[in-house]
Amino acid sequence: MTSLTAFVVLVALVGVERLAELVVSRRNTAWSLARGGQETGQGHYRVMVLLHSGFLVAMLAEAFLRRPVVPAPLAWSMLALVVAAQALRWWCIATLGRRWNTRVIVVPGMPPVRSGPYRLLAHPNYVAVVVEGVALPLVHACWWTALGFTVLNAGLLSVRLRVEGAALASLPDGRPSHPDVAADA
């Protein structure tokens, strides 16, 4: 996984995965809105899409410009973390089913999700995003992208968590849990 070609293929596969997530998200958003779902926090959504799209471009640009020497142990250990992050992300998507999307939408009357990874963590999808944000660029020793995305994503997640906290307060039991969203574009 230390070759530039293999890294480009990996990033392209993640890009295709993101496009598939957007297709699922659009379908699920329509489902939620048709059931009276209320979206909150639209203001940060465009920034999130830009950050996550820029992340993919930035690591490829860094790889081509810097042409780093990539130690095999770093590449393989980071690839294992990328795979684990993807598994966690898809576990979140499978658990939430039609309620999963990349926006913050709460459907009135639907109870919070407390199964799957949500019985262990309040925001498991964000764990996947954070792990991927560090590990994916480090598969090819793209330290600058890993650092830059981590810092920018921390700011975005602070906004996203506040928005979701407000949405969660509208749930029937008012307890912190997970609405019908996962925040990964």
Side-chain angles (χ1 to χ4, degrees):
M1 188 47 70
T2 58
S3 82
L4 185 54
T5 302
F7 183 63
V8 169
V9 169
L10 176 63
V11 173
L13 288 172
V14 170
V16 168
E17 179 190 27
R18 290 298 173 275
L19 292 174
E21 289 173 10
L22 287 175
V23 169
V24 171
S25 177
R26 285 194 175 127
R27 183 191 69 218
N28 292 348
T29 295
W31 181 89
S32 293
L33 295 176
R35 283 153 184 76
Q38 299 295 313
E39 182 177 0
T40 58
Q42 299 95 322
H44 74 277
Y45 187 76
R46 190 168 292 192
V47 173
M48 184 176 75
V49 170
L50 182 63
L51 177 62
H52 283 261
S53 300
F55 170 62
L56 299 175
V57 173
M59 74 182 93
L60 290 176
E62 182 177 354
F64 277 96
L65 292 172
R66 284 190 45 244
R67 304 264 180 187
V69 174
V70 183
L74 174 67
W76 288 109
S77 61
M78 293 300 106
L79 180 61
L81 287 175
V82 168
V83 170
Q86 301 316 314
L88 178 57
R89 173 177 287 117
W90 284 98
W91 187 18
C92 294
I93 292 169
T95 299
L96 292 171
R98 303 284 277 164
R99 295 173 70 179
W100 181 86
N101 63 70
T102 57
R103 297 178 179 271
V104 180
I105 301 175
V106 174
V107 178
M110 294 193 89
V113 173
R114 297 191 195 284
S115 60
Y118 298 96
R119 71 180 182 250
L120 306 171
L121 300 165
H123 300 284
N125 193 69
Y126 298 149
V127 172
V129 171
V130 169
V131 169
E132 180 188 71
V134 172
L136 184 58
L138 291 183
V139 167
H140 200 74
C142 294
W143 302 97
W144 290 110
T145 302
L147 179 61
F149 178 80
T150 298
V151 168
L152 293 172
N153 192 52
L156 179 63
L157 280 178
S158 71
V159 170
R160 184 74 173 199
L161 288 170
R162 279 194 306 272
V163 168
E164 284 194 11
L168 293 171
S170 72
L171 292 173
D173 64 7
R175 292 180 10 212
S177 179
H178 196 274
D180 49 324
V181 303
D184 176 59

